[in-house]
Amino acid sequence: MSFHIPLASYVFIRSFKTATMEALQRRMIEEDMVQYKLFLIQPGSSSSQQTEERLTHLVEEILAKVAPLLIQYIWQHQPINLKYHPEKGGIPAHIGGSTQFGDNVEDEWFIVFLLLQITEAFPELAARVEDNDGEFLLIEAADYLPKWLNPDTSENRVFLYKGELHILPCPSKSTSVGFSKDVVPSVAQALELLYTHPEVCRASSKISLALKKRLEGYPGKIKSGLHRAHCFIPAGIAIVLAQRPDLIAPAVSAFYLRDPVDLQACRTFKTFPPDTRVLTLVTFTRCLYAQLQQQQFTPDRRSGFTLPPRSHSQYKAHELGLKLAHGFEILCSRCRLPSSEPNAPVSCNPQWKGFMESLSRNGYFHGELEGSARYRELTRSAENFFKQSVASKSSALSPGEEVLQLLHSCEPFNLEEMKKNESQLPQEDSDSWLDITAQDLEQLLQERSGGRADVGSQNSSSTKQKQHAGDAEERGKEKEDNIEEEEAGYSLVAISQGMKNFLKAMSSHEGAELPWSSATQPFNIDPDSMANALGRLLGGKDEALDSDDLDDSDNDDEEEEVEEKEDGFCGQAEMKGTETLDSLKRYMDQMDEELMKTNVGQSFKRTNYNKAGASGDSSHPSARDDLPRDNKLEEKEEEIQPLDVDVNLVTNLLESLSSQAGLAGPASNLLQSLGIHLPPNSDPA
């Protein structure tokens, strides 16, 4: 017995399955991985073959454009990887790739910087970038996003175009351009809207400024993020790093993530014997240096590596070299010996000539004469970059195999000559950036919190101005001189007032919203929204006025229709509301009566204005016994002295802060979110 599925149903099932699979794939981005795609903003009516040729040519042009930045960059785990991807699952043909950045999140933001540079240099391209958190560009500017934009409504809406951030809008009163927040546009639809209305899609100045602030310092940040240190390492490692400085990253990772099986290969160093150690200058990224420096490690006695006493002037160089040698030995122990067949020279690749011409056009050689020492050094770096990024390999080599291949291909080293060069080494960099004081950490947290004003400190604004105006020495003197003034000027009333404002603020089911400070947010108002909100307040309708009522809502017409339908139920709602309040009041009275029989109330601070009356009444116990039962209940209610809410609130908050012992906790997090910064506890009791 057989049956047939209608064609329309079959198409729907296939499209639903494809959409579901694509949605799952988007959410299956690995941890610490960033994905990026570059689309043609106007693909036109060209065939798939023409599109492929155009995008393939753009890959070469893009890599040649950013090569001066990429050649000097040391990646934590994987480099940027741009390749042509054909159309698949509703996603147009594009240039894209993915990069694992590991523990160094700066790699992810460097890729964002590169994408901005690429889209500015190639205006026919628009880029999308996301990681396992989704649209992390929006996370950086979360304080300035419109209310309708959230993880559920941001899919296929965020693009980098012409060197700027663009967000596809939602239709509003001012413009009908955009997609409704309930609609997920396809990539093709999004690109078409971006091409036809780029000005409308451009992100607001505050969102763009937040992104620019995160990328501030590039491309100079590439060099400032490096750290040079003296290391005693085997001569073979020194030769490898002289040709391939980027191989420092897999070596540090191998040591940092070592296991007992890896350390078995380090009992006897076969590849890098310790008796060939020389002092050399090694370039790390700050992340790699911190990973290597902060780990405690004792070598195996059979390895041949020994450390001088800690008081030795070069103890740190010996310790760093010891750890680095273990990392390289672990790398080489994981791979097979390299093939004896020589690799074909780069010049045999047909793409090499065009790549060199693109480098020359982009000023990579800085006018150096062909054949000079500097020209040969730049050419060698370009060859290494070409092998890794441009030339296609049938079988990619592991880092350990690359190390062994370099050792076999290089000329024998002269150990005595290398030791003579030790006295001519440049000075190493200071690692004082590893140490951070409590004041530096507080300043970083304030910068990351969006610049909220200090609510509790009366002279915080003047202190901040002094901090920005003066240099480091002046800031230190001012902090010492003004400690007593700041503590004296600090008002505990701000704590209770801040908590009251927080509790009075209305929020939705999505979570609590912190009240905005007028010092940090400009005051603006939409007259229509305000009139609508006031009308609902004064009209007696049983509706909750939350923080979204004063936003630039796009659903005013729908709300008016709903209000008209609910006019007939207003009377019933008012009656039900009155009954609910009466029932709640009786319930609260019963709770008070039960709590009076317990000792719970003794833990709260009370006001003192009713104590005289209470003491006067206590002198007539017999008269109180003669009162009727109803009068006794009324007198009990009168004996309930009101609580000092402010004192109890401040006391409990300070006790919670004290119990945190300087660590993060609910009390400090809440006060920090409200912009309230308490001075450090100077009372050990």
Side-chain angles (χ1 to χ4, degrees), residues 462-480:
S462 60
T463 303
K464 285 185 178 179
Q465 293 175 359
K466 293 177 183 178
Q467 287 177 349
H468 289 291
D471 55 13
E473 296 181 359
E474 293 178 354
R475 287 201 308 266
K477 292 180 181 179
E478 289 174 1
K479 288 180 181 179
E480 293 177 0

Side-chain angles (χ1 to χ4, degrees), residues 24 115 495:
L24 291 175
L115 293 175
I495 300 179

